[in-house]
Structure formats: structure tokens, C-alpha cells
């Protein structure tokens, strides 16, 4: 298969990537056949999978609005994914055109596409960086000039920590990031969970382990809540994706009681 113009040189088109599979689930156009096949296989196992992706995007948008209303003026979005409708910079800039947004992702397709759509936008940028190397990521973020680490930051870890294995110590990574941010900073986390639909979670976890390098780790409620250690949890705490500050009926993509994701927002005090 020829490499499409949007795909950076050297990209492995034979192995599905979480960023491109998620793009395929959301109906995006920056994915390869291998990603679409993996997304289709996921849908065969769990037919409402696209609703989970929509539900997660809706949480992301609500969290950005919440943080903006709480006075956050700069966002560091780690595991930002391939840009799609309702991106963080669009949501943040709708409320505050001067807000700054820095996207960070490990996937070159995600970063290249983000940079393309951000051309001409002085208040948003994208870096290729690995959450599992937080010191390098923070240094790179600082060099872009988008994030002032003396001012409160809105840290977004949305649908990314379930791609970090236990032996890579996801909780400690969040703690390292928390330590680098000033008081008044916030974190928004969403995470795939085995809490409500353990059988579907097990099926999807197994499929992803076969199809991608990383695999998806569906964690239980206690493990996801532990990611907020050291942060003051904002009400209503760690809840199903559609139940975190729903703004309208349209936010209820998943049936409450059956969400495959948990989410919450914490504040550094
Ligand atoms: C499911 S997508 C989520 C995208 C976006 N945050 C959202 O919720 O709509 C997960 C993203 O995390 C990225 N990712 C996975 N592991 C990462 C790592 N170690 N460091 C940075 N990004 C990572 C993937 O490339 C992918 O783009």
C-alpha cells in the first residue's frame, strides 16, 4: 500500500496503532487498513464500541470547559491523539482565545496531523513525546514556550493511561507530572475500565494485546481512583464517562451503568 500524504515517512503501516484505531472508531480518515480491521474486530466483539469513543470525546470537551471556567489558561494534553472534531484548542479557544494548548503524543501520525492543522495558530503546538519519559516530555514542553510552569496548568490524560502497563508505573508517572505543576493546576483523566462490563473488557483487552504493540489495560475502579492520589478530587469523583458533569442528553452516548470508561478531574492544592 502507498503511504498517503498525511502519513510521515517511516510509519509502520503493517501494525495497528491505538491513535489510528481510535480515529477509525470515530469515523476519521487518518488510519490504515490494519487499523480499520482492528476497529472492526473490536466492534464485532463489543458493538457499542464507537459509542465509548464518542463518550470519551464528550468527557474531554466537558473537562476542558470545566477547567477553562475554573481559570485554567494553558493545557498540556498528553496522548492527544489524531485531531478530530471538537479538539482541545477549539474548545479552549471558544471560551478564551488567548488560552494556550500543547498537544503531546507518541504517535508520529497524530503529531504530524496536529502540526498541520495548527499552522498559523500561535497559541497551540504539538510535540512528539512519551508519557513514560515524563522528564523529557516536560523539558520539551517547556522549550516550546507554550506552557509556563509557574502558572496553573490543565493536564489532560484522557484515554492514555490504559495504554501504559503496570510495570511502567502509570501512577508514578502521574505523580511525577503533578510534582512539576504549581498549585491550582488540574488533571483530567479518563481510563478504560473492567468495573462495569468485565467480560467485554476482557475480550477487548485480549484482542488489543494481539493486534497492537501495547495492548489496552482495563483497570478496576480502585486502580483508576489511585491515579488521583495527591490531587483533590472534584465532585462527583471518579465516575462513568457520561456521568461526569453531563451538559445535555447528547452527552449520554453510553448507557449509564454500562460505560466502559471511568473519568474524573483533580485539583492540586
Ligand atoms: C485513545 S487515544 C486518545 C486521544 C485523546 N486523548 C482522546 O481521548 O480523544 C490514545 C493516544 O495516546 C497515545 N499514546 C499512547 N501511549 C503513549 C505514550 N506513552 N506517550 C504519549 N502518548 C501515548 C496514542 O498514540 C494515542 O494517540
Amino acid at each position: 500500500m502507498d503511504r498517503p500524504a498525511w502519513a510521515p515517512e517511516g510509519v509502520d503501516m503493517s501494525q495497528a496503532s491505538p491513535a489510528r484505531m481510535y480515529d477509525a472508531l470515530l469515523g476519521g480518515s487518518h488510519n490504515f487498513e490494519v487499523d480499520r480491521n482492528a476497529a472492526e474486530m473490536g466492534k464485532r466483539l463489543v458493538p457499542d464500541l464507537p459509542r465509548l469513543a464518542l463518550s470519551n470525546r464528550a468527557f474531554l470537551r466537558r473537562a476542558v470547559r470545566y477547567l477553562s471556567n475554573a481559570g485554567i489558561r494553558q493545557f498540556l494534553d498528553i496522548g492527544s491523539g489524531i485531531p478530530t472534531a471538537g479538539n482541545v484548542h477549539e474548545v479552549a479557544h471558544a471560551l478564551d482565545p488567548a488560552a494556550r494548548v500543547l498537544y503531546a503524543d507518541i504517535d508520529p501520525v497524530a503529531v504530524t496531523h496536529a502540526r498541520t492543522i495548527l499552522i498559523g495558530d500561535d497559541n497551540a503546538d504539538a510535540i512528539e513525546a512519551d508519557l513514560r519519559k515524563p522528564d523529557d516530555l516536560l523539558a520539551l514542553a517547556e522549550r516550546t514556550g507554550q506552557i509556563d510552569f509557574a502558572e496553573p496548568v490543565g493536564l489532560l490524560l484522557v484515554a492514555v493511561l490504559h495504554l501504559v502497563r503496570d510495570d511502567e508505573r502509570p501512577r508514578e508517572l502521574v505523580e511525577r507530572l503533578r510534582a512539576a505543576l504549581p498549585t491550582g493546576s488540574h488533571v483530567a483523566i479518563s481510563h478504560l475500565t473492567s468495573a462495569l462490563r468485565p467480560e467485554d473488557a476482557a475480550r477487548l483487552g485480549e484482542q488489543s494485546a494481539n493486534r497492537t504493540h501495547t495492548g489496552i489495560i482495563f483497570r478496576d475502579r480502585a486502580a483508576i481512583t489511585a491515579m488521583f492520589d495527591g490531587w483533590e478530587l472534584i465532585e462527583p469523583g471518579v465516575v462513568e464517562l457520561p456521568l461526569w458533569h453531563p451538559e445535555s442528553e447528547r452527552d449520554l452516548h453510553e448507557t449509564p451503568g454500562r460505560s466502559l470508561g471511568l473519568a474524573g478531574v483533580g485539583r492540586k492544592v
Side-chain angles (χ1 to χ4, degrees):
M1 194 188 12
D2 290 341
R3 179 171 57 86
W6 49 261
E9 224 172 295
V11 68
D12 181 358
M13 291 163 60
S14 67
Q15 174 98 31
S17 95
R20 299 187 317 250
M21 277 168 59
Y22 182 68
D23 181 65
L25 274 179
L26 285 166
S29 53
H30 293 77
N31 47 71
F32 303 132
E33 196 178 352
V34 66
D35 307 304
R36 290 189 288 278
N37 288 344
E40 277 308 315
M41 173 68 84
K43 277 197 272 184
R44 275 202 288 279
L45 294 174
V46 176
D48 57 348
L49 201 54
R51 298 174 74 85
L52 167 65
L54 290 171
S55 181
N56 180 65
R57 286 299 292 181
F59 162 73
L60 172 64
R61 291 192 293 271
R62 297 197 303 276
V64 171
R65 277 194 284 272
Y66 179 92
L67 298 189
S68 183
N69 289 328
I72 295 292
R73 295 286 165 264
Q74 42 178 3
F75 296 85
L76 176 57
D77 182 1
I78 303 180
S80 46
I82 293 169
T84 180
N87 286 302
V88 169
H89 70 285
E90 293 162 339
V91 178
H93 289 163
L95 291 173
D96 174 11
R100 289 185 309 278
V101 176
L102 183 62
Y103 293 111
D105 203 285
I106 200 173
D107 189 304
V109 171
V111 178
T112 302
H113 187 45
R115 287 196 180 131
T116 305
I117 66 162
L118 294 174
I119 288 172
D121 188 335
D122 292 339
N123 289 333
D125 202 352
I127 54 172
E128 190 171 326
D130 187 343
L131 166 62
R132 296 165 302 176
K133 297 179 183 160
D135 294 334
D136 293 351
L137 187 152
L138 290 164
L140 196 54
E142 189 149 36
R143 281 206 294 280
T144 65
Q146 288 292 342
I147 305 290
D148 174 358
F149 285 94
E151 295 293 326
V153 173
L155 173 64
L156 308 174
L157 293 168
V158 178
V160 63
L161 286 163
H162 51 237
L163 300 170
V164 178
R165 299 190 312 262
D166 285 349
D167 64 317
E168 294 169 328
R169 303 186 178 278
R171 218 175 95 180
E172 286 170 31
L173 297 174
V174 181
E175 174 52 27
R176 173 69 195 97
L177 294 168
R178 191 184 73 85
L181 303 180
T183 302
S185 294
H186 287 64
V187 68
I189 294 176
S190 72
H191 197 300
L192 292 184
T193 186
S194 53
L196 297 160
R197 294 166 64 180
E199 285 163 16
D200 286 340
R203 274 198 282 272
L204 288 170
E206 195 178 324
Q207 184 233 356
S208 73
N210 295 334
R211 294 243 172 191
T212 63
H213 283 301
T214 356
I216 300 172
I217 299 107
F218 287 74
R219 294 194 166 93
D220 63 19
R221 191 180 285 273
I224 296 170
T225 304
M227 305 280 180
F228 290 93
D229 280 359
W231 301 85
E232 181 184 86
L233 260 176
I234 305 283
E235 286 300 316
V238 176
V239 293
E240 290 176 63
L241 285 166
L243 299 185
W244 196 88
H245 292 242
E247 292 169 355
S248 76
E249 286 288 311
R250 280 178 306 161
D251 280 350
L252 300 179
H253 297 283
E254 293 174 291
T255 312
R258 285 186 53 77
S259 177
L260 279 162
L262 294 179
V265 170
R267 185 159 58 108
K268 180 165 176 176
V269 288

